[in-house]
Amino acid sequence: MVIMSVDYGDVRTGVAVCDKSEFLASPVCVITERSADKLAGKLTALAGEHKAELICMGLPKNMDGSEGFRAEACKSFAALLKEKSGLEVVLRDERLTTVSAHRLLSMNDVRGKKRKQTVDAVSAVLILEDFIAARKRDTQP
């Protein structure tokens, strides 16, 4: 199944997709958009372009597992995205994905403007890889 992953942000939103076999997750882009309605439209178009059958969206939780105002904003946006796209939107805990994305970019010597432009897409890849791994664990006998 082709799954699209979204790392939702107030200004920048990272997008990644996996192949039909759910083996390879790849960054697609970072969308700079402040309007939730316009962003949902752009994500819906990307989902159609990539033939996504499901959307996995990061849910920012606090380190203690509780949900704060950002989690509520993400849930609200997920509902809007589901309505616009007609696809199921699954929320996935995204704690520390941005930290991990920065670490990966540092290891690959990506700095400055280029890092700022790609970190959200890399975070979306990490969210998607975690989601795919969990799906495989849940379907193993």
Side-chain angles (χ1 to χ4, degrees):
M1 168 185 303
V2 176
I3 304 168
M4 185 170 89
S5 175
V6 176
D7 181 30
Y8 176 62
D10 289 332
V11 177
R12 287 181 308 277
T13 297
V15 182
V17 294
C18 71
D19 61 324
K20 199 157 190 67
S21 67
E22 298 180 24
F23 180 73
L24 183 63
S26 304
V28 172
C29 65
V30 174
I31 301 171
T32 303
E33 180 60 67
R34 291 182 186 271
S35 164
D37 198 52
K38 288 179 183 177
L39 177 60
K42 290 177 180 181
L43 290 171
T44 296
L46 276 174
E49 188 179 312
H50 290 277
K51 297 179 176 57
E53 301 166 69
L54 177 75
I55 298 172
C56 173
M57 191 168 129
L59 180 66
K61 291 187 175 186
N62 298 322
M63 290 309 291
D64 65 1
S66 64
E67 296 179 3
F69 74 94
R70 277 301 301 152
E72 290 306 314
C74 283
K75 286 180 178 181
S76 176
F77 182 73
L80 174 64
L81 185 55
K82 180 179 180 175
E83 180 185 317
K84 278 210 178 258
S85 69
L87 296 172
E88 180 183 0
V89 178
V90 177
L91 295 171
R92 185 82 187 157
D93 185 353
E94 67 166 37
R95 279 180 278 186
L96 299 177
T97 55
T98 302
V99 172
S100 296
H102 277 290
R103 190 176 307 123
L104 281 169
L105 291 170
S106 289
M107 288 170 34
N108 289 291
D109 205 29
V110 178
R111 307 219 183 282
K113 240 185 216 183
K114 188 165 185 171
R115 177 184 290 215
K116 191 173 184 180
Q117 294 170 346
T118 59
V119 70
D120 297 302
V122 173
S123 292
V125 168
L126 295 174
I127 292 166
L128 184 52
E129 287 176 341
D130 182 57
F131 180 71
I132 291 168
R135 280 172 55 93
K136 288 181 180 173
R137 278 192 309 270
D138 292 346
T139 58
Q140 296 296 319

